Amino acid sequence: MHVWDALSSESKIDFSAGENGRKNTSAIAYMTENPNLTRALLARLESLEPISSFENAKVTSIDLGPPQDSPGTLNLSSYPHVTTSSSTSPLVARLLIGADGINSPVRTFAHIPTRGWDYDRHGVVATVRLASRGGSHSQIEEAPKVQDNVTAYQRFLPSGPIALLALPGDYASLVWSTTPEQAARLKGLDPADFAAMVNAAFRLSVVDVDYMSKMPSGQVDELAWRLQATDVPREDETKYPRIIESVQEGSVASFPLRMRQADQYVGERVALVGDAAHTIHPLAGQGLNMGLADVASLVRAIEYSVSHGGDIGVQGNLEAYESEMWMKNNRMLGVVDKLHKLYGVSWWPVVGLRSLGLGTVDKFNGLKGWMMSQAGG
Ligand SMILES: Cc1cc2nc3c(=O)[nH]c(=O)nc-3n(C[C@H](O)[C@H](O)[C@H](O)COP(=O)(O)OP(=O)(O)OC[C@H]3O[C@@H](n4cnc5c(N)ncnc54)[C@H](O)[C@@H]3O)c2cc1C
């Protein structure tokens, strides 16, 4: 992975396989597309009879059960009753797990407040196709080797980082964090101009990128001219990603970026995981990883409760999950938030200090290995 600062050409950090302290690994991390994860999880669920799943169903309301009507009947008044668009009667949950994203209806039901702020930034995402090194696919008949596309690139621009993460073959996933206005302009561009804008954002100076991003169209010709007029190498194996040749149709989208942390991860008969519990800026690619770690920890708490004859919905039996994950996630939220703020500053003394810091860290493989192991969970 190659990371650098747009305001200081010398400021960069590289993470390579072998520095992460794990022997015999040829990779520091893997990119997995969400449909692959979802497909694998659904296949696993189907193998675990008798689990019922409801497709295309929306949770329309969550309420507590009615008060106990007579002594001796089951008292379900403290149990969540979940009504879905496809069910006629509510589903009664001994434990309701909210894995329902930043606006979590489960969190609202449990009256759990969140803290945090909006970044006034949007993440523009797209799936892009990379040209082979030395020319476009239309010019070269032989397809490039798959191994050529294994490095992730991230450049910190003052408005936010732009990152390109390798996907199989010649594809890559783009995440560009930028102002809402620029995100709207990018989404409005014709695909060729959008690709030229991304190529510019990885290669040209901040002034050039700002100028081009305000053009209503014509980025393709502008980039060609600016690349000739500046001394930026068109292709550099170590410094820049391969040229983006095209953008997959329908893949460009944008999402508002926010930081949130729920005050509690558990309540009576409720547990929150993933973005329902915390939402993080995507600059370190940690959002889903944190959610997976939550799930692993919650499973441990439930297993312990079951194996000791406990009720899995009782808050006290879920607290081991909260004590393990809340502080850990809070630290990660804090670090990523500070990085976002640090790289948003253009004042030269701060740029100089952060360059010095990044350059120093880049020299210590042990420290970089520790950082990679933290990011990899
Ligand atoms: C631009 C951007 C780039 C990112 N890049 C990365 C990355 O590279 N790596 C990474 O690890 N993370 C990344 N993330 C973060 C990652 O996308 C999230 O952390 C992750 O998707 C959270 O998963 P989740 O299941 O907790 O929530 P979500 O993905 O939000 O899923 C919640 C689900 O609940 C469903 N739901 C909500 N309400 C209801 C209801 N009433 N009834 C039925 N269903 C409901 C929703 O439809 C949704 O399917 C990125 C985020 C952004 C914005």
Side-chain angles (χ1 to χ4, degrees):
M1 181 172 193
H2 182 61
V3 182
W4 72 109
D5 185 345
L7 291 181
S8 162
S9 56
E10 297 309 310
S11 176
K12 59 103 188 156
I13 187 165
D14 288 305
F15 296 98
S16 310
E19 287 170 350
N20 58 358
R22 294 181 203 150
K23 300 262 181 296
N24 305 322
T25 50
S26 57
I28 60 168
Y30 296 92
M31 278 289 290
T32 309
E33 296 122 298
N34 199 36
N36 292 336
L37 276 182
T38 315
R39 203 176 304 124
L41 288 170
L42 287 174
R44 174 82 179 125
L45 276 180
E46 274 162 25
S47 72
L48 296 173
E49 298 284 349
I51 284 182
S52 310
S53 61
F54 302 87
E55 281 177 33
N56 298 320
K58 188 173 168 19
V59 171
T60 50
S61 65
I62 311 170
D63 305 287
L64 286 176
Q68 190 177 21
D69 36 6
S70 57
T73 57
L74 203 55
N75 182 3
L76 295 176
S77 60
S78 68
Y79 283 57
H81 284 50
V82 179
T83 307
T84 72
S85 50
S86 67
S87 59
T88 45
S89 55
L91 305 161
V92 181
R94 183 180 289 277
L95 170 62
L96 178 62
I97 299 176
D100 46 358
I102 187 167
N103 298 315
S104 170
V106 173
R107 197 182 60 226
T108 308
F109 158 75
H111 302 291
I112 298 177
T114 60
R115 281 155 216 275
W117 40 82
D118 294 1
Y119 283 114
D120 191 29
R121 291 288 182 275
H122 281 207
V124 178
V125 297
T127 302
V128 297
R129 185 174 161 91
L130 307 170
S132 51
R133 295 241 181 240
S136 72
H137 280 98
S138 47
Q139 294 164 322
I140 290 192
E141 275 181 20
E142 196 188 329
K145 291 188 186 67
V146 169
Q147 288 86 335
D148 191 26
N149 182 22
V150 293
T151 305
Y153 295 87
Q154 178 152 276
R155 187 188 195 199
F156 280 91
L157 295 160
S159 53
I162 179 167
L164 204 59
L165 308 163
L167 290 176
D170 297 314
Y171 290 90
S173 175
L174 170 80
V175 185
W176 186 348
S177 310
T178 185
T179 59
E181 299 75 33
Q182 195 181 359
R185 282 199 297 268
L186 284 168
K187 283 201 297 179
L189 289 177
D190 142 285
D193 284 335
F194 179 90
M197 207 49 245
V198 175
N199 288 324
F202 276 111
R203 287 168 173 75
L204 297 182
S205 74
V206 171
V207 177
D208 288 322
V209 177
D210 276 352
Y211 177 83
M212 282 179 64
S213 75
K214 292 193 179 107
M215 292 170 62
S217 62
Q219 278 81 356
V220 171
D221 293 340
E222 189 69 22
L223 175 67
W225 178 80
R226 280 177 192 260
L227 281 174
Q228 273 173 6
T230 56
D231 57 358
V232 178
R234 210 179 130 75
E235 310 262 328
D236 184 327
E237 296 273 347
T238 55
K239 259 182 124 177
Y240 304 109
R242 282 153 58 181
I243 290 276
I244 287 151
E245 192 179 63
S246 59
V247 182
Q248 198 174 74
E249 205 184 327
S251 70
V252 180
S254 74
F255 302 91
L257 303 183
R258 297 174 275 204
M259 204 250 303
R260 293 283 188 282
Q261 167 82 312
D263 280 5
Q264 291 160 245
Y265 287 180
V266 299
E268 198 56 23
R269 308 215 167 274
V270 165
L272 304 174
V273 293
D275 276 27
H278 44 73
T279 305
I280 193 168
H281 191 294
L283 72 83
Q286 287 302 304
L288 184 66
N289 284 353
M290 289 163 75
L292 296 175
D294 291 346
V295 173
S297 170
L298 180 59
V299 165
R300 282 191 290 276
I302 293 174
E303 269 174 357
Y304 184 88
S305 182
V306 169
S307 62
H308 289 74
D311 177 344
I312 58 168
V314 170
Q315 186 170 349
N317 292 337
L318 298 166
E319 269 163 5
Y321 157 58
E322 182 172 292
S323 4
E324 184 180 4
M325 296 313 296
W326 196 92
M327 199 36 108
K328 216 184 241 184
N329 288 338
N330 208 52
R331 267 200 303 273
M332 184 62 87
L333 286 164
V335 168
V336 169
D337 183 59
K338 304 294 173 301
L339 278 175
H340 164 75
K341 288 184 172 135
L342 181 64
Y343 278 91
V345 178
S346 305
W347 192 44
W348 69 265
V350 176
V351 175
L353 278 175
R354 76 184 181 216
S355 300
L356 190 67
L358 201 66
T360 310
V361 173
D362 195 37
K363 292 189 176 64
F364 290 99
N365 284 352
L367 181 56
K368 287 197 289 181
W370 178 81
M371 288 163 74
M372 281 188 274
S373 69
Q374 293 298 303

